[in-house]
């Protein structure tokens, strides 16, 4: 049975794309009982691998006589609102009499007239028009002569052409199934064409990077298991496990672990490594394979007694195709748990995006149900959450127990209005990418210590500690008001104003790959310029409630991706406190600085102590006593590894109304 295109729009990645496709199909007028005039299929000429060149043939066969002037339109899928992640925009093999070059060449026979379909001028909001204009166009084929029933014509998308560069580059995100769409137009009548065969499958790419994950703490002599994931150059699961894989475990003394058994993991890209770590102390677990980057090492502490608290790592900020990302929530949870081995995560799809609704009361139950379904206490925890998306800045909202409702910016348009309807015993709100630059910076005049218990000091939007440090986001050099607003949104600006809160870091990933350790760069300019991000927490048990309580209490820190071990504690009272710090890097450490937080005002944040290099290049400690009449009302740690990766502790405030210690 043919389907009315207007009544059955394709499943698109977020409300922006839904709006676009709805506007493209606005003139559809067929009814559900109209038989399909044709069916179409896709023949793969060369394999379709994410981010790689390919060629495919669209075959359209008439089921009834079609008239000259009838039109078939074909649309590549929109997998995410990133131009660099899309299929190559189709273009004609000859435009203006000149042979066109570049990926995405389209050719057909003389029975049809080819053209491309631009995105509609309206309705597109000003902020996203430039992004959508760079997404793939559609292919329009007008019949120049009647096409009898049973006859067909073909369109080649990705024709190599005389320069051999015309093959179409497949979308960069390896979606499990890709819904190309085609429709037939005749006058005012528009019908989606029936399709033969399954949806086009986009294959994974070859391994480019290894990622090791596993418990941060263990007891000696027990069977220790970690996972080694082979990722492609974008951090997505690779097509296979890495060949000639070797897993190594080296003790701080230089000793190495003995026999290591390798077994297949849950995902085709994952290898499980099992061995025994029989010495107490620090170990670093890494992996090597020929032609593949080794990625981060995993620091592990082996103690004779089980620690009172467990160190866990997760990603509290990522998006799926339920808002402005790509790939499904299930893809994201699988990646987090089974590929990169996170301990916890929270999907934070937008309530609205550029004023278009995403999550709402009808879709919110899926978030809550997913959190229940994917959570296994002690193994993997999902916190129900969403991103409150305002022109005043973005807050991610996290629930300790199952929430009854979500509260959208459409109904609660200020942070104060949102906080007024939330329960501080069940909700934390975290300002994300507060330094802004490519999103609205956070204005720290909006602050409620009952809800704002932490800020996001790092994501793929860059470093929000300050705007001119390592991993800092790019600034608009001549846009002085914008730069000033970004500076006012930083973590140091918050603390200098008495907005005392802890820190976390997360990816703000838009490809349903939470915990992705690989930086997306280049043309994906608005998604982020640097690194990944992880939140670390110390919990008595791996449960949703314990994680929420850890964030609320400030028992968290953030890294740019590696699983750095970081401890900052104080003894004593007031400014008589003695502060000690201990850091274990995933790579050799460059600097470990204790940074002072001024008592008041927009003062510089100086380094008050620096850890000196010890006997091991990946381990540093320091002790600092607050001087009499100290000008610092608190301190925090800033860690930089020799590879440039960073970590930040939550601050220790000597006297804080917010209670963060």
């Amino acid at each position: 049975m043919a389907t009315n295109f207007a009544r059955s729009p394709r499943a698109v990645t977020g409300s922006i794309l839904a709006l676009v496709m709805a506007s493209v199909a606005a003139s559809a007028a067929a009814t559900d009982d109209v038989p399909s005039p044709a069916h179409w299929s896709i023949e793969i000429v060369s394999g379709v691998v994410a981010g790689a060149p390919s060629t495919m043939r669209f075959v359209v066969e008439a089921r009834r006589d079609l008239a000259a002037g009838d039109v078939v339109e074909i649309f590549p899928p929109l997998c995410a609102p990133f131009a660099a992640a899309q299929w190559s925009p189709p273009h004609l093999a000859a435009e203006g009499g000149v042979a066109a070059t570049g990926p995405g060449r389209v050719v057909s026979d003389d029975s049809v007239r080819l053209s491309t379909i631009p995105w509609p001028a309206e309705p597109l909001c000003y902020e996203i028009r430039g992004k959508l204009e760079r997404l793939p166009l559609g292919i329009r084929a007008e019949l120049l002569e009647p096409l009898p029933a049973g006859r067909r014509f073909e369109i080649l998308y990705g024709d190599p052409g005389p320069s051999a560069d015309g093959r179409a580059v497949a979308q960069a995100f390896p979606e499990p199934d890709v819904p190309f769409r085609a429709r037939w137009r005749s006058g005012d009548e528009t019908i989606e064409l029936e399709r033969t065969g399954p949806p086009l499958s986009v294959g994974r790419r070859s391994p480019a990077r290894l990622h090791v994950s596993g418990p941060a703490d263990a007891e000696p002599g027990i069977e220790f298991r970690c996972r080694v994931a082979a990722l492609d150059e974008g951090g997505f699961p690779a097509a296979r496990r890495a060949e000639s894989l070797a897993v190594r475990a080296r003790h701080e003394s230089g000793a190495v672990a003995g026999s290591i058994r390798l077994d297949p993991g849950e995902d085709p890209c994952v290898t499980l490594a099992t061995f025994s770590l029989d010495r107490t102390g620090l170990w670093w677990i890494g992996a090597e394979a020929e032609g593949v980057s080794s990625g981060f090492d995993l620091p592990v502490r082996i103690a004779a007694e089980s620690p009172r608290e467990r160190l866990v790592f997760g990603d509290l900020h990522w998006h799926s195709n339920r808002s402005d990302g790509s790939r499904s929530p299930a893809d994201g949870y699988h990646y987090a748990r089974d590929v990169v081995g996170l301990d916890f995560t929270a999907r934070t799809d937008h309530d609205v995006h550029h004023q278009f609704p995403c999550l709402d009361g009808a879709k919110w139950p899926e978030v809550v149900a997913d959190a229940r379904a994917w959570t296994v206490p002690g193994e993997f925890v999902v916190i129900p959450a969403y991103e409150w998306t305002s022109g005043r800045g973005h807050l991610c909202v996290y629930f300790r127990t199952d929430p009854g409702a979500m509260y959208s910016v459409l109904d609660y348009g200020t942070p104060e209005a949102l906080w007024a309807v939330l329960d501080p015993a069940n909700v934390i709100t975290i300002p994300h990418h507060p330094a802004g630059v490519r999103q609205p910076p956070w204005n720290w005049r909006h602050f409620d210590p009952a809800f704002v218990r932490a800020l996001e000091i790092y994501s793929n939007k860059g470093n929000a500690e300050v705007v001119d440090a390592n991993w800092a986001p790019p600034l608009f050099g001549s846009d002085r008001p914008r730069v000033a607003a970004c500076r006012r949104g930083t973590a140091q600006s918050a603390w200098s104003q008495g907005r005392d809160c802890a820190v976390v870091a997360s990816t703000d990933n838009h490809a349903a790959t939470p915990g992705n350790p690989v930086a997306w760069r280049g043309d994906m300019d608005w998604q982020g310029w640097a690194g990944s991000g992880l939140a670390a927490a110390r919990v008595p048990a791996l449960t949703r409630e314990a994680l929420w309580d850890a964030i609320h209490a400030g028992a968290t820190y953030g890294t740019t991706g590696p699983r750095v071990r970081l401890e900052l504690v104080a003894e004593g009272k007031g400014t008589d406190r003695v502060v000690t710090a201990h850091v274990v890097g995933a790579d050799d450490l460059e600097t470990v600085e204790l940074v002072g937080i001024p008592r008041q005002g927009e003062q510089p944040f100086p380094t008050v102590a620096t850890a000196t290099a010890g006997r091991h290049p990946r381990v540093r400690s320091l002790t600092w006593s607050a001087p009499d009449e100290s000008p610092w009302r608190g301190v925090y740690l800033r860690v930089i590894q020799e590879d440039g990766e960073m970590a930040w502790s939550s601050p220790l405030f000597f006297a804080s109304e917010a209670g963060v210690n």
Side-chain angles (χ1 to χ4, degrees):
M1 177 69 68
T3 305
N4 183 328
F5 189 85
R7 295 187 183 183
S8 301
R10 47 172 279 175
V12 294
T13 62
S15 58
I16 297 175
L17 304 181
L19 175 66
V20 173
M21 292 306 294
S23 63
V24 169
S27 63
T31 59
D32 287 340
D33 57 357
V34 175
S36 174
H39 72 257
W40 73 297
S41 60
I42 301 176
E43 297 178 359
I44 305 302
V45 179
S46 59
V48 179
V49 176
S54 63
T55 301
M56 59 187 65
R57 181 179 290 107
F58 303 133
V59 180
V60 180
E61 181 177 327
R63 286 190 166 176
R64 68 185 193 216
D65 292 344
L66 303 183
D70 285 2
V71 171
V72 172
E73 297 172 334
I74 299 174
F75 295 91
L78 297 176
C79 65
F82 315 135
Q86 303 302 327
W87 292 82
S88 299
H91 65 83
L92 305 185
E95 296 175 344
V98 178
T101 61
R105 280 169 45 97
V106 179
V107 299
S108 187
D109 57 41
D110 294 337
S111 66
V112 298
R113 178 187 293 116
L114 290 176
S115 59
T116 55
I117 305 169
W119 288 106
E122 298 296 339
L124 297 180
C125 76
Y126 173 79
E127 293 176 281
I128 63 171
R129 167 174 259 162
K131 298 166 190 172
L132 290 176
E133 285 176 347
R134 292 178 295 167
L135 298 182
L137 309 176
I139 301 169
R140 185 177 189 272
E142 179 184 357
L143 295 177
L144 297 177
E145 55 190 46
L147 186 68
R151 299 288 298 276
R152 71 183 202 174
F153 67 89
E154 301 176 354
I155 300 172
L156 195 64
Y157 169 53
D159 171 47
S163 60
D165 66 350
R167 296 174 66 197
V169 177
Q171 49 98 354
F173 298 167
E175 299 268 11
D177 295 307
V178 179
F180 274 74
R181 293 287 184 182
R183 65 188 179 195
W184 167 82
R185 285 180 179 270
S186 183
D188 294 332
E189 189 177 15
T190 300
I191 297 178
E192 182 181 16
L193 296 185
E194 287 187 354
R195 165 101 175 268
T196 60
L200 179 65
S201 177
V202 175
R204 298 178 176 186
R205 286 177 279 191
S206 298
R209 179 188 177 114
L210 300 177
H211 181 77
V212 180
S213 61
D217 299 281
E219 297 179 18
I222 67 170
E223 188 174 72
F224 185 90
R225 173 175 288 185
C226 66
R227 73 187 64 226
V228 181
L231 308 177
D232 70 15
E233 60 188 10
F236 292 93
R240 53 177 172 78
R241 299 174 182 86
E243 298 176 359
S244 66
L245 176 66
V247 178
R248 49 179 167 74
R250 186 176 298 276
H251 189 259
E252 57 186 321
S253 66
V256 296
S259 176
I260 297 178
R261 187 177 77 248
L262 302 181
D263 303 295
E266 303 89 338
D267 189 277
C269 76
V270 172
T271 299
L272 299 177
T274 305
F275 47 96
S276 177
L277 302 178
D278 55 0
R279 294 193 182 194
T280 59
L282 294 169
W283 291 80
W284 286 269
I285 302 172
E288 299 173 346
E290 185 176 353
V292 181
S293 169
S294 294
F296 303 133
D297 279 2
L298 173 69
V300 178
R301 174 175 290 166
I302 304 298
E305 297 181 358
S306 298
R308 292 186 301 107
E309 293 181 318
R310 178 176 173 182
L311 177 61
V312 292
F313 292 90
D315 189 346
L316 293 168
H317 185 188
W318 58 278
H319 301 271
S320 74
N321 59 15
R322 300 304 193 262
S323 60
D324 64 333
S326 71
R327 297 159 49 89
S328 71
D331 290 333
Y333 296 129
H334 167 72
Y335 182 91
R337 184 189 67 184
D338 301 326
V339 177
V340 294
L342 297 184
D343 299 303
F344 63 92
T345 195
R347 170 167 61 97
T348 52
D349 277 316
H350 293 277
D351 53 354
V352 301
H353 189 67
H354 293 294
Q355 302 180 357
F356 302 127
C358 297
L359 281 180
D360 56 22
K363 300 173 184 175
W364 178 240
E366 179 194 46
V367 176
V368 180
D370 281 348
R372 291 197 202 107
W374 285 88
T375 293
V376 178
E379 297 181 13
F380 182 68
V381 170
V382 176
I383 300 174
Y386 69 96
E387 187 163 357
W388 180 86
T389 313
S390 166
R392 296 175 171 85
H394 298 182
L395 283 170
C396 284
V397 182
Y398 303 90
F399 294 87
R400 188 177 191 274
T401 60
D402 281 359
M406 64 165 286
Y407 302 94
S408 170
V409 71
L410 297 177
D411 300 312
Y412 303 90
T414 67
E416 289 74 18
L418 177 68
W419 293 327
V421 295
L422 297 176
D423 177 6
N426 192 45
V427 178
I428 291 170
T429 61
I430 297 180
H432 280 288
H433 38 71
V437 179
R438 296 180 180 274
Q439 272 68 40
W442 188 255
N443 187 331
W444 287 104
R445 288 181 296 179
H446 300 291
F447 184 78
D448 187 331
F451 292 101
V452 183
R453 305 299 300 176
L455 60 84
E456 183 185 70
I457 199 166
Y458 183 81
S459 74
N460 66 19
K461 301 297 188 297
N463 179 353
E465 178 195 5
V466 290
V467 297
D468 52 0
N470 286 24
W471 298 104
L475 294 175
F476 303 116
S478 61
D479 189 352
R480 294 184 180 276
R482 181 72 172 179
V483 172
C486 293
R487 292 187 187 279
R488 288 194 298 268
T490 63
Q492 285 195 355
S493 178
W495 297 329
S496 70
Q497 297 175 52
R499 306 318 198 194
D500 295 352
C501 51
V503 304
V504 296
S506 290
T507 61
D508 193 7
N509 178 279
H510 283 67
T513 53
N516 189 332
V518 176
W520 272 102
R521 301 178 186 273
D523 292 337
M524 301 182 70
D525 52 357
W526 79 272
Q527 189 202 4
W529 286 74
S532 183
L534 280 183
R538 287 186 174 85
V539 294
L542 184 55
T543 65
R544 184 199 301 177
E545 294 79 9
L547 285 165
W548 191 95
D549 292 345
I551 301 171
H552 191 277
T556 58
Y557 61 91
T559 89
T560 56
R563 300 194 181 197
V564 175
R565 300 183 64 95
L566 188 156
E567 296 176 73
L568 181 66
V569 296
E571 295 181 354
K573 296 182 179 180
T575 55
D576 295 327
R577 293 190 177 188
V578 175
V579 176
T580 59
H582 187 66
V583 177
V584 180
D587 195 0
D588 292 356
L589 296 171
E590 180 177 296
T591 60
V592 174
E593 302 170 292
L594 190 66
V595 182
I597 299 175
R599 281 192 172 277
Q600 58 184 356
E602 296 284 349
Q603 302 178 39
F605 281 51
T607 298
V608 300
T610 301
T612 57
R615 62 182 180 83
H616 197 288
R618 296 187 176 187
V619 181
R620 292 196 187 183
S621 300
L622 65 81
T623 301
W624 177 78
S625 299
D628 294 339
E629 299 181 0
S630 170
W632 321 120
R633 65 184 189 86
V635 292
Y636 68 96
L637 274 182
R638 179 196 298 131
V639 177
I640 305 177
Q641 296 186 156
E642 287 191 354
D643 61 5
E645 302 291 344
M646 297 183 67
W648 300 263
S649 76
S650 289
L652 288 174
F653 293 106
F654 300 149
S656 171
E657 294 180 2
V660 177
N661 277 296

